[in-house]
Amino acid sequence: MGILQWVAIAAVLVGVAAAFVVWRLLRARNMEIWIGSYLRRQMSRAPRVTDRPVHVMFCFVDHFEPMWHGADLETQRARVDRWCRDYRTLASVHRDADGRPPQHSFFYPEEEYAEEHLDKIAALCADGYGELEIHLHHDNDTEANFRESISRFCKTLHERHGALSRDPATGELSFGFIHGNWCLDNSRSDGRWCGLNNELILLRELGCYADFTLPSAPSDTQTRTINSIYYATDDPQHPKSHDDGVAVHVGGSATGDLMIVQGPLGLNWRDRRAGLVPRIENADVRRGCPPTAQRVDDWVRTGVHVEGRPEWVFVKVHTHGTQETDMDTLLGPATDAMHAHLERAYNDGERYVLHYVSAREVYNIIKAAEAGKEGDPNAYRDFVLPPPKSSWAGAAQDSARAAA
């Protein structure tokens, strides 16, 4: 065998070894689920050419869990009180193009209900700083229990705390949803932390207008569909029916069982492990991954949008707001700087226009885009679903502020 043949064999072996290492790295973070979709999107992405300003809808959703790690009542109260105090201070100095402060969507866990905590958060929302939605952790659940739990919680949130709005067409209460442990539609590979293969159908029937769980990477619950807004159709015989679906598009209509609103997901090449391996950018905000200006730019650049309306960009980021290790980041200088960067870089009125939006407003603006509306999305914050009772006072304050 000649030297060239040995070189060729060695090259093949090196290539195989490298491929194996890459595959192991991907599998270690469950990236094999979505990396193909990410690479295809990167290769097919065309430069955005538009003579219209790009409207950036910034939505912060929070897995808000005062009882995290089995905290005692004193700790729970301290967590909620800090949010109600410090978030007002933080948000009150920031405004979007419409004169509104940042809007925080508190997805509160059904299984952690405590009237005094919800009263405080509802008051914060009534002051114009956000809205309440539904979060749920469950395991090995049954359809009957799920229906009863969600229905009861919707009624409680609405009647006792002024949260959730009624669908004008049906009169039923409507809610946005985040699944605890990321396991929407029984999507974890071992079947834990859900138990319902027909969860999308159940959510639709119970009044859920959209799911805001994703992205969930590096969890194996992450879907292969990424950076998208789409309708998923449930297959009650199989889990993870939202792995793919039909993209929401201009001129379309609701197709399937549930709208899935995803946040940005990709690779962060600026922050690499050992200087080599890119970290996953999954729009999570906490102490270990603060909301830097570079991350904000990446989120906007991802360009999540309704097909046919690329000049309306949706940036949905998430957190677990009541964990002490992260609250200094979420309620302090890092998040203050994030909003300052958004207002400086994405609110010049010519190239970009910034809108702070709640989860409900995201849904309304998506539906407006689907219906063919264009121009200023601020006009469509309440396009389908009206504000909940708790935000009427805040809306009145915003209107008076804008008029002034």
Side-chain angles (χ1 to χ4, degrees):
M1 188 177 296
I3 184 81
L4 292 180
Q5 290 175 306
W6 281 111
V7 170
I9 292 172
V12 170
L13 291 175
V14 169
V16 170
F20 178 74
V21 170
V22 170
W23 180 248
R24 288 291 299 272
L25 289 171
L26 292 175
R27 288 294 300 272
R29 304 286 281 169
N30 295 305
M31 291 173 63
E32 79 283 0
I33 296 171
W34 58 271
I35 194 64
S37 298
Y38 173 75
L39 293 174
R40 285 192 294 273
R41 290 177 68 93
Q42 292 297 106
M43 290 185 290
S44 63
R45 177 181 292 177
R48 183 179 298 139
V49 178
T50 177
D51 57 357
R52 304 177 182 181
V54 173
H55 291 265
V56 177
M57 269 61 69
F58 186 83
C59 178
F60 210 144
V61 305
D62 192 342
H63 305 216
F64 194 79
E65 304 167 3
M67 299 181 189
W68 178 71
H69 267 200
D72 59 26
L73 183 57
E74 182 179 356
T75 301
Q76 296 171 35
R77 284 171 173 163
R79 291 168 173 172
V80 174
D81 289 346
R82 182 175 180 187
W83 263 93
C84 292
R85 179 186 68 247
D86 291 0
Y87 190 75
R88 279 186 175 87
T89 301
L90 170 72
S92 64
V93 299
H94 292 283
R95 290 292 183 273
D96 66 5
D98 313 307
R100 301 183 80 217
Q103 298 294 297
H104 205 76
S105 293
F106 296 90
F107 284 75
Y108 198 97
E110 181 275 336
E111 73 281 0
E112 294 190 13
Y113 177 73
E115 185 172 12
E116 65 172 283
H117 301 340
L118 265 301
D119 280 343
K120 293 173 182 176
I121 296 301
L124 179 63
C125 294
D127 285 345
Y129 294 110
E131 295 182 12
L132 272 162
E133 300 290 354
I134 291 180
H135 185 34
L136 179 69
H137 301 84
H138 59 155
D139 190 18
N140 196 30
D141 208 350
T142 66
E143 179 175 330
N145 182 70
F146 184 80
R147 287 183 181 276
E148 198 278 331
S149 298
I150 296 296
S151 297
R152 181 184 64 244
F153 196 42
C154 283
K155 183 177 180 181
T156 298
L157 287 177
H158 185 70
E159 294 182 355
R160 296 188 186 178
H161 306 288
L164 310 185
S165 55
R166 291 193 181 276
D167 186 325
T170 67
E172 300 297 321
L173 291 174
S174 298
F175 62 94
F177 186 73
I178 285 178
H179 199 296
N181 305 111
W182 315 108
C183 300
L184 180 67
D185 203 45
N186 213 21
S187 55
R188 187 161 143 153
S189 59
D190 63 4
R192 292 297 308 276
W193 309 118
C194 184
L196 300 170
N197 286 345
N198 63 336
E199 191 165 39
L200 305 185
I201 292 173
L202 295 176
L203 285 167
R204 171 178 55 79
E205 292 178 350
L206 289 164
C208 180
Y209 59 78
D211 176 83
F212 294 82
T213 302
L214 296 163
S216 61
S219 168
D220 64 353
T221 61
Q222 174 61 46
T223 55
R224 61 173 172 258
T225 299
I226 64 170
N227 298 328
S228 299
I229 301 168
Y230 62 103
Y231 292 111
T233 299
D234 210 339
D235 179 353
Q237 304 306 314
H238 297 93
K240 206 177 187 180
S241 297
H242 58 299
D243 211 15
D244 50 30
V246 177
V248 180
H249 60 278
V250 173
S253 60
T255 302
D257 293 301
L258 192 62
M259 180 187 289
I260 308 295
V261 180
Q262 297 185 324
L265 177 61
L267 299 178
N268 184 344
W269 289 94
R270 299 186 188 92
D271 184 14
R272 290 174 284 188
R273 296 178 183 272
L276 297 173
V277 181
R279 295 180 184 272
I280 296 173
E281 172 54 75
N282 59 5
D284 188 11
V285 177
R286 58 180 65 216
R287 184 179 68 176
C289 40
T292 63
Q294 288 182 335
R295 292 188 73 199
V296 172
D297 295 343
D298 288 342
W299 296 336
V300 175
R301 194 178 300 117
T302 299
V304 177
H305 65 277
V306 172
E307 289 193 0
R309 187 68 69 239
E311 71 274 17
W312 289 8
V313 171
F314 295 86
V315 176
K316 177 182 71 72
V317 301
H318 65 273
T319 192
H320 289 73
T322 60
Q323 299 180 15
E324 281 79 6
T325 55
D326 301 320
M327 278 197 271
D328 286 344
T329 296
L330 297 168
L331 298 169
T335 298
D336 181 60
M338 175 194 75
H339 287 300
H341 180 68
L342 279 164
E343 292 154 19
R344 181 173 57 252
Y346 298 103
N347 199 32
D348 61 9
E350 296 180 1
R351 294 180 63 244
Y352 293 99
V353 182
L354 175 68
H355 307 278
Y356 289 130
V357 289
S358 67
R360 177 190 61 85
E361 291 170 333
V362 164
Y363 171 74
N364 280 329
I365 294 170
I366 289 170
K367 293 299 288 185
E370 183 181 53
K373 304 298 183 181
E374 54 186 343
D376 186 356
N378 181 53
Y380 306 113
R381 291 177 183 266
D382 305 322
F383 183 68
V384 176
L385 296 175
K389 291 188 294 183
S390 66
S391 61
W392 290 347
Q397 293 170 7
D398 288 340
S399 297
R401 189 182 299 112

